[in-house]
Amino acid sequence: IHMVLAEILPDASFKILDRFKDMTRLGNGVFESMRLSDEAMARALGVIKTLVTLAKNKGFERIIAVATSAVREAKNGGDFVSLILEQTGLKVRVISGSEEARLIFLGVKNSMALPDGPTLVVDIGGGSVELIEGNRDGLIHGKSLKLGAIRLAERYMPKTPPSKPMMQELEAVVTTHLRKTLGSFTTQRAHS
């Protein structure tokens, strides 16, 4: 769970005042069971309560909250969103994979200087990986793949350390998905 505290300036630009991040592992188990566990929801809710209180204590009144793949895919994701609203007053918007890709690209574009040509941005989350192609002018193409770190570990590495066959299967799955998807990106075609 990430929180960024920002001030919107008169010219519509913004200044980041503070950042907070807590690895609650909300997605633990969700990609196999299709449910958020009670333990994970309790952990996440505790962090959200703390962050909302912190933001309000620092004078922030407007809080925008979004949820991604773990909540999006869980059968009880809506129950979790309702619980957050009930206990914190925070309305959480569950976003699609393509909206997640768009927002990630905006974050990258506003935090670093992109080159003139197409750039491939890769964001690895717990449930999904976003592949986003864009340039200084904006997003060209974005895709969300179900290749997140927690999802893959649960499915392909049931024991630690993983065996060689487990690693080979994992590599084959990731390679297959990436090959299938990257063909639609101009940065890939330009370097093929």
Side-chain angles (χ1 to χ4, degrees):
I1 297 175
H2 303 232
M3 181 172 73
V4 178
L5 298 177
E7 179 184 0
I8 309 298
L9 302 172
D11 66 355
S13 66
F14 62 91
K15 184 168 100 179
I16 293 176
L17 304 176
D18 216 339
R19 297 172 186 266
F20 301 89
K21 184 176 177 180
D22 196 305
M23 302 303 278
T24 58
R25 299 182 66 83
L26 181 61
N28 267 11
V30 77
F31 305 110
E32 291 298 315
S33 69
M34 300 310 292
R35 295 188 63 79
L36 297 165
S37 73
D38 291 343
E39 298 80 17
M41 287 194 291
R43 267 194 319 269
L45 190 57
V47 170
I48 291 166
K49 284 179 179 175
T50 300
L51 293 180
V52 167
T53 301
L54 185 65
K56 287 182 176 174
N57 287 347
K58 286 180 173 268
F60 288 84
E61 294 171 7
R62 185 169 180 224
I63 302 173
I64 299 170
V66 297
T68 58
S69 61
V71 178
R72 181 168 64 232
E73 294 180 38
K75 290 176 182 170
N76 60 344
D79 296 337
F80 181 55
V81 168
S82 296
L83 191 64
I84 294 168
L85 177 61
E86 181 187 301
Q87 295 200 18
T88 69
L90 189 61
K91 290 182 183 172
V92 177
R93 184 167 60 106
V94 181
I95 60 172
S96 67
S98 56
E99 175 66 355
E100 187 175 356
R102 186 185 76 80
L103 292 174
I104 289 164
F105 182 75
L106 282 175
V108 170
K109 185 174 177 271
N110 284 292
S111 64
M112 62 187 297
L114 293 176
D116 288 331
T119 300
L120 182 65
V121 174
V122 180
D123 181 83
I124 303 170
S128 63
V129 168
E130 279 64 46
L131 301 174
I132 311 127
E133 178 183 10
N135 56 31
R136 286 181 188 163
D137 297 326
L139 183 135
I140 297 168
H141 184 57
K143 188 80 176 153
S144 181
L145 304 176
K146 294 182 177 182
L147 296 176
I150 294 173
R151 180 192 306 270
L152 294 180
E154 285 179 357
R155 183 162 294 164
Y156 298 102
M157 299 189 302
K159 65 178 181 121
T160 311
S163 67
K164 189 172 181 180
M166 283 180 202
M167 292 304 293
Q168 288 169 332
E169 184 183 10
L170 175 60
E171 186 176 343
V173 166
V174 171
T175 301
T176 300
H177 278 83
L178 289 177
R179 279 200 180 124
K180 201 179 343 177
T181 304
L182 285 172
S184 62
F185 286 77
T186 57
T187 48
Q188 176 66 18
R189 289 197 300 271
H191 295 96
S192 297

